[in-house]
Amino acid sequence: MKTQKIVIAVGAGFLGKNLIEYFQDKDHQLVMLTRGQNEVRHGIQFIHWNGQSLGNWTKALEEADVLINLSGKSVDCRYTEANKAEIYGSRLDTTRVLGLALIKAKNGPKVWLNAASAAIYRHTEDRAMTEKNGDYGHGFSVDVCQKWERMFYSFDLPSVRKVALRTTIVLGTEGSAFQPLSQLARVGLGGRQGNGRQMFSWIHVYDFCRAVDFLIHQNTLEGPVNIGSTNPVSNAQLMATLRASLGIDFHINLKKWMLEIGALLIRTQPELVLKSRWIDPEKLRLAGFQWEFPTIDKAVNDLLVHKLFQPIQAEI
């Protein structure tokens, strides 16, 4: 396979670190746009940018094959006005300035993959949401997702194939939802959360990396693409799988009011576990993508057995 120059914006989070390791194993040239200093480490070029304005960092786009933007403050926080402003800004500003940089680039990347979220869809317990027939929801999270994608699509770049990565919950060994959920099971709090009927769409982090690689090389795929497994489970099924994999019988179910109090104490939002997220990755499925970890039990057992990657620690 041809060696490619891949530019990743703010790749020091959970997903970015795993993508770095994945693409390094394939001997691609990696350039990271980071909040840290300019340097070369582990064969990776780190270039400082502020995510808001054009600067010398735009030179990194020249002769690049792929741009991947993963910028965005974590939504695992209380939705205070300050946090809301940062969530909006960290997504809209970075997408805007990357679009401006691509317009100015003389020989920039021909593929732009921009982070998005399956949270754009409504709470759904009746059917899976595909890219074509998915219904959008309401509220802060949905508004963020819609404005994020509108910003992404607002740039007229005829020679650039653009893909919005509508990613669902990614399970990995570090920095993902897998850690707190498995810890709840270990201490006996691994019962259903709320009524347990809310759907849990998920994807193993290795399949996330493989899906990104797949999309880079599938020239016919563009626009929004759902990134998730074809086998979502209910919250009750998820927690039962965790308990079985850990060999734990005792468990306490967590009622909605308990989750609301707990979320307040740890400074997060209860919707992160109570919203029913049910997607069908129809575009990936019809394009022939094959999942290494298609079922939740296979994914959980793999994550419990070993760490898939040893991510590089990078400043952001």
Side-chain angles (χ1 to χ4, degrees):
M1 184 178 294
K2 173 181 173 289
T3 298
Q4 293 183 307
K5 179 181 178 183
I6 301 175
V7 179
I8 304 179
V10 189
F14 162 60
L15 295 181
K17 289 175 182 177
N18 282 283
L19 275 179
I20 291 172
E21 294 297 320
Y22 177 87
F23 285 124
Q24 264 205 317
D25 285 345
K26 295 181 177 294
D27 295 323
H28 291 305
Q29 178 187 352
L30 297 179
V31 179
M32 315 302 298
L33 302 181
T34 172
R35 309 289 183 174
Q37 62 185 3
N38 294 335
E39 60 180 326
V40 176
R41 283 188 286 121
H42 308 287
I44 302 169
Q45 184 178 10
F46 292 86
I47 297 178
H48 173 78
W49 80 323
N50 62 11
Q52 297 178 323
S53 57
L54 298 173
N56 287 334
W57 62 267
T58 60
K59 296 176 183 178
L61 297 178
E62 297 296 339
E63 309 298 331
D65 297 287
V66 182
L67 169 63
I68 304 173
N69 178 26
L70 299 175
S71 303
K73 173 183 169 59
S74 172
V75 294
D76 186 10
C77 62
R78 296 298 290 181
Y79 291 161
T80 63
E81 291 307 310
N83 282 338
K84 284 182 178 180
E86 191 173 351
I87 288 170
Y88 276 118
S90 62
R91 287 160 173 76
L92 302 184
D93 291 346
T94 53
T95 302
R96 175 187 57 81
V97 78
L98 286 170
L100 294 175
L102 286 175
I103 289 174
K104 294 178 177 293
K106 295 180 180 178
N107 189 21
K110 298 298 184 284
V111 182
W112 180 10
L113 277 63
N114 208 69
S117 175
I120 197 170
Y121 300 118
R122 65 173 171 85
H123 176 102
T124 174
E125 297 181 22
D126 57 327
R127 63 179 176 87
M129 302 286 106
T130 68
E131 298 92 344
K132 185 177 181 179
N133 73 3
D135 301 326
Y136 295 163
H138 304 280
F140 169 68
S141 297
V142 174
D143 187 62
V144 170
C145 294
Q146 290 181 304
K147 288 179 178 175
W148 199 4
E149 290 194 15
R150 280 200 295 270
M151 178 66 75
F152 179 49
Y153 296 127
S154 68
F155 295 95
D156 184 18
L157 298 164
S159 63
V160 179
R161 179 167 58 89
K162 296 191 289 185
V163 179
L165 304 171
R166 285 186 181 173
T167 308
T168 187
I169 299 168
V170 182
L171 301 179
T173 56
E174 296 180 10
S176 76
F178 181 73
Q179 283 69 42
L181 289 172
S182 57
Q183 185 58 31
L184 284 174
R186 286 189 175 98
V187 299
L189 298 176
R192 66 177 181 271
Q193 296 162 330
N195 61 28
R197 293 193 299 271
Q198 68 270 32
M199 295 299 291
F200 183 84
S201 277
W202 59 276
I203 189 169
H204 191 292
V205 66
Y206 183 54
D207 279 332
F208 168 81
C209 295
R210 291 178 60 251
V212 169
D213 195 12
F214 183 83
L215 288 167
I216 289 172
H217 296 95
Q218 287 291 316
N219 293 329
T220 60
L221 290 179
E222 60 184 350
V225 175
N226 289 345
I227 310 294
S229 166
T230 53
N231 294 293
V233 294
S234 69
N235 173 267
Q237 290 172 305
L238 167 70
M239 300 311 295
T241 300
L242 281 171
R243 295 195 306 270
S245 297
L246 290 166
I248 295 173
D249 294 325
F250 176 77
H251 64 276
I252 295 175
N253 296 324
L254 300 178
K255 297 183 181 297
K256 181 179 178 181
W257 66 266
M258 299 167 69
L259 293 168
E260 290 172 343
I261 293 174
L264 181 63
L265 292 175
I266 64 174
R267 308 299 297 164
T268 190
Q269 292 292 137
E271 79 160 347
L272 296 180
V273 295
L274 292 175
K275 181 175 179 177
S276 186
R277 304 164 189 264
W278 189 0
I279 67 164
D280 174 8
E282 184 177 57
K283 284 187 176 181
L284 281 177
R285 180 168 49 80
L286 295 180
F289 181 73
Q290 297 294 315
W291 283 258
E292 288 284 334
F293 299 93
T295 61
I296 191 66
D297 57 334
K298 187 173 182 180
V300 167
N301 288 334
D302 176 79
L303 294 173
L304 290 175
V305 166
H306 68 280
K307 293 184 178 180
L308 187 63
F309 299 127
Q310 295 294 329
I312 294 171
Q313 297 301 312
E315 288 186 45
I316 56 174

